Amino acid sequence: MTQMMIRDPAPKHSRMAADKTITLAVNNMDCAACPSIVKGSLEAVPGVAKVAVSFKDKTATVIYDDAKANVNQLTSATTNAGYPSAPKS
């Protein structure tokens, strides 16, 4: 009896994913509960690895996989939660 080895074909369009970090300026955070809402909205975006929100600085720093998420998805997530955001310059 002979055995055949079956190999999985390589993906046709593989792209190395890279973790990126972005800091967003977040509007409308005016109470101590707001950062947890912002954090939850960002963590719900597929590809987000880590979120740190600063109430004092009105920012959210996000580490994400750029093959699964993009800046527009991140800003849309906070905006849809009631906290418009934009990349901090």
Side-chain angles (χ1 to χ4, degrees):
M1 175 180 231
T2 59
Q3 290 184 348
M4 269 184 152
M5 290 193 100
I6 299 174
R7 252 180 36 163
D8 286 336
K12 292 180 182 177
H13 299 289
S14 65
R15 178 170 90 88
M16 295 296 291
D19 281 347
K20 295 216 174 182
T21 302
I22 188 167
T23 298
L24 303 173
V26 184
N27 295 310
N28 298 345
M29 284 201 297
D30 55 10
C31 73
C34 295
S36 65
I37 297 169
V38 171
K39 183 175 182 180
S41 71
L42 290 166
E43 288 175 335
V45 177
V48 170
K50 186 174 181 181
V51 179
V53 180
S54 171
F55 176 67
K56 180 182 144 229
D57 297 332
K58 309 287 192 239
T59 60
T61 301
V62 184
I63 299 173
Y64 65 99
D65 177 341
D66 74 341
K68 297 178 182 174
N70 61 52
V71 175
N72 187 52
Q73 290 170 305
L74 301 175
T75 57
S76 291
T78 64
T79 299
N80 291 340
Y83 301 91
S85 68
K88 189 173 178 184
S89 46

